Structures are given as C-alpha cells and as structure tokens.
Amino acid sequence: MAPIPITIITGFLGSGKTTLILNLIPQLREQNPEYKLALLKNEFGDLAIDSQLASNSAISGVQELLNGCICCNLVGQLGPALEELRKTVSPDRIVVETSGSAFPATLALEVNRLARESGQYVLDGVISVIDVENWKGYEDTSYTARIQARYTDLIVFNKWETAGEDRYDECLDRVGDLEVDVAKVKSDKGWVSKNLVFGIDGGLAQELTDTDVIGDHKTNGTNGTNGHAHSHSNGHTNGHSHTHSHGHSHGHQGEVEVLSIELSGDKDARISTEKLLGLLQSAPKDEAYRIKAVLSLSSTPTNSDPDVPQPEANPSGRYILNWAFGRWTFTPVIQGIQEHGSSQDATLRMTMIFSRYESNKWKKKIEAGGFLQLEGGDASGLTVKKMF
C-alpha cells in the first residue's frame, strides 16, 4: 500500500488555518465523494475547539493533542496519534494542524523520521498561513511567526481583502526580508485550490536536517541566548529518543499566555449572550490573540462581520466560539454529535490566549465579574486558571 501523504499546516494564532482546511474538504469530496481526509490537531490549552469544528464537517477522523506544543513536549505523541488515524480511518491524506506557536521545521523533521522508520507516511509539504491584517504586529514580537514563514513550501496570504493592498505589499516585503524562495498565493477569504495545497511534494520540508534547523537558530538568535533547547524522549512508544537544541531558550510557548476558563451550572443553565458579546467587543487585539469556547447561550448570538453568514438558532443553545484579533464567529454544535470530553457537560469551557504579560490582568478582570455569567447574573461557578 502506498504511504499516506501528510501535509503540515502552520501559522500564527488566528491566521485562518482551520478555515483553510474546512474549505478544502468540499473540494476533495467533489472530486471523490469517498475521499477520506483525517486531521491531527494540536490545540493550546486543555480545550478542543478547532477539532470540534472539523468534526462538524465531513472530515473522516480527528485526533487532538492538547495542552502543549506538538514540536516540543508533545512530539512523542505524534507517532501514536498518526498510527491511530491510519488504523481507524485508513485516510487518503492526513493534515497536521499545529498550534499557533509551533515550530514547523522541528515537526517536519519528526514526520520525516516516522516516514523513514515506518514506511507508512510521506511528508507532502509544509503550508504556512499568514494573516496579512495582523502579521506586522505580531511578526515584530514573535520569533516563531517569522520562523513559520521561513520554513515552508507554500505561504498562503489570508485576510488580505480587509487589510488592503498597501498592507499586503508591506507584508510581502517583510516576508521577502526572510530571504527564502518560496511559492506564495492569496486566499479568497480562506479558500485556496486543493491543487495548490496538496501534491506539492515539498522539497524543503523533505530535505530538512537537524543541522539546517540548528544553524538557522544560531543565525537568528543572539549568541545562542534565544536557544530553545529541549529533549524528546518517547521510548514508551518506539524506543527512539533524541535531543534538539534549537536556539530560542525563551521558549516559543513563552511568547503567549493562556487562561483556561469554566463556568458551571445546572443541566439547563445558559450563559448570558449579552455579557459574552461585551467581552468579545472589549478585548483589545494587541492584548488578546484568541478566544475559543464551547458554551450554551441564552439567545442566538451574532457574528462580528455583517457580511459573514449569521449563526442559525440552535434549540440546544450550544455553540462553538472562535475569536481572533477582534473578529468572531459562532458555529452551532450539530445535534447528535458527541462533544469532546474537554467541554462535554460544561455550561462554558473557554480558552483565552494573550500576548506576554497580559493574562494576569485579564484573569482579574474576568474573576471580578460582568463578562461571563449565567442568565440571571449568577457567576458563582466561575473558575479561571492560568495554564502558562
């Protein structure tokens, strides 16, 4: 049997990775109604959101790796997760969607190693999604955002329509400063042809070596002081252990801070939609990168952009919230779909991702009340935890 092609899709928080994937599924099914696309999703925090959105679509199988980074402390789980998808779904292709802070070159190295050792996979390529509207802001502060654009076979420029041509040209120049010769394409509101994303046989991704990765970090770091050194030992699954010393010791997960929030109530409890929308409208995008939640709402919510189709009323009141840089969408949870255990039976489960040094302030704001409460005003079941 031919090896299963694997496509890695990376990009900073809120760039539109999940939207890109969801727009690929109808294209694949139109060509072949029996096509099986499987998703391996790495999420920040302890709440599965994007994978639940994928489960609402026609995707064939989903595996989640939560509360860590797939290129660092969760790398040992990559092999078993791929094997589980291979055995249970028999997919035609696997897409690995990284967390917004993952280092793609390290992940590509690990996929290449698994491909060599098992003969079951082949790395097709690494796709990096860039949010044109917001990339200038976080590219200045995030080493990882620059590296995601550097180690890739294809760059997808997303959200350029709202940013304007001047911002797009500026973003293009900044990517050019990385001195990489890579294919680039504009999305159409998150839509890119499957023929551009799949089957690219990414030469860069397949030919990466540890020496390439370490060398680039030394060049971009400051005498090794940005060195991100970590050891991966996953002998419990395949006896393989290895150490990478990558050059950014501040730790790329240290570029963001994460709050895990839960508001519990009785079986029929609902979150105040009005109060929640107040939170979404007030969170500054230079402080908050992402807000994701699964929750039961007191009334049908509205999306931020009027040109985006508004969510349908859901008899259960259950919705998935996806907020990025001041814009948000609500997706009704399909009746009969089994929720992931991270949100099942919770009135609200939320992950908020902030820039550095902002989470403590927002933890106090949320705990003070007024943003998240049950219909009627009760917030006694609210808990807010800082993950990292």
Short mmCIF file of all heavy atoms in Angstrom, two decimals, residues 91 238 260 283:
data_model
loop_
_atom_site.label_atom_id
_atom_site.label_comp_id
_atom_site.label_asym_id
_atom_site.label_seq_id
_atom_site.Cartn_x
_atom_site.Cartn_y
_atom_site.Cartn_z
N PRO A 91 -7.03 6.81 6.05
CA PRO A 91 -7.25 8.03 5.28
C PRO A 91 -6.45 8.07 3.98
O PRO A 91 -5.40 7.44 3.86
CB PRO A 91 -6.78 9.12 6.23
CG PRO A 91 -5.71 8.47 7.04
CD PRO A 91 -6.17 7.05 7.23
N ASN A 238 8.25 3.96 20.86
CA ASN A 238 9.02 3.37 19.77
C ASN A 238 10.50 3.27 20.09
O ASN A 238 11.31 3.03 19.19
CB ASN A 238 8.81 4.17 18.47
CG ASN A 238 9.13 5.63 18.67
OD1 ASN A 238 9.91 5.99 19.55
ND2 ASN A 238 8.52 6.48 17.85
N SER A 260 -7.42 29.16 31.09
CA SER A 260 -8.47 28.15 30.92
C SER A 260 -9.63 28.53 31.84
O SER A 260 -9.45 28.71 33.05
CB SER A 260 -7.93 26.76 31.29
OG SER A 260 -8.96 25.79 31.22
N ALA A 283 -12.18 43.17 24.23
CA ALA A 283 -10.83 42.62 24.29
C ALA A 283 -9.96 43.24 23.20
O ALA A 283 -10.22 43.03 22.01
CB ALA A 283 -10.87 41.10 24.13
#
